Amino acid sequence: MEEKTTAAAAPAPVPPSVPSALTDAEIKKMQDRDWQERCRKAKENDYYKNRCAECYKKMGLAMRFECRCGKVCCLSHRNSEAHHCSFNYQRAGVISIIIRDNPVVQADKLRDRI
């Protein structure tokens, strides 16, 4: 009889709650992801349509330079090195020189005419 009373009086064991302790690196990574997502959504706004892609300086028609990568840049970021261009100029040059501008020319052979 004593066993029943002691078992009933003892509180049921509570499962230990595991604290979700995030490290500083994980928190920083989450904040960076959140910041990048908010910046991407903000850039889709019409407010950024007439601004430089790098410095967000407001530009007029005379100061706009549209790059081959699709970015619109101001006077100081018009060069590809200044705005971290993703367009591959070397490959474009090879394609234009070899493929388009210099097609392979072959003369007719006499044996094909007989």
Side-chain angles (χ1 to χ4, degrees):
M1 187 103 182
E2 291 177 10
E3 294 175 9
K4 291 181 183 178
T5 56
T6 57
V14 178
S17 63
V18 178
S20 60
L22 297 174
T23 63
D24 291 337
E26 291 172 343
I27 292 171
K28 177 81 170 148
K29 189 175 182 181
M30 288 173 46
Q31 289 173 346
D32 287 344
R33 239 183 283 135
D34 183 44
W35 175 256
Q36 289 172 354
E37 183 68 23
R38 285 190 290 155
C39 287
R40 185 186 59 79
K41 286 181 182 178
K43 287 178 186 176
E44 293 172 357
N45 193 351
D46 289 337
Y47 177 77
Y48 290 99
K49 195 175 277 186
N50 61 345
R51 294 185 177 262
C52 176
E54 287 293 312
C55 64
Y56 303 111
K57 179 181 173 184
K58 194 170 186 179
M59 300 177 297
L61 289 175
M63 296 179 6
R64 292 174 64 101
F65 290 94
E66 188 167 350
C67 183
R68 291 184 186 180
C69 65
K71 293 181 181 177
V72 179
C73 299
C74 64
L75 288 169
S76 60
H77 294 110
R78 68 178 182 249
N79 296 331
S80 60
E81 296 86 21
H83 70 268
H84 309 291
C85 188
S86 61
F87 186 77
N88 191 350
Y89 286 97
Q90 185 177 8
R91 176 136 172 85
V94 168
I95 288 172
S96 68
I97 291 172
I98 295 175
I99 296 173
R100 278 189 258 142
D101 296 341
N102 295 322
V104 177
V105 179
Q106 292 180 347
D108 292 336
K109 303 293 181 187
L110 289 176
R111 67 182 127 167
D112 292 337
R113 293 187 187 181
I114 298 176

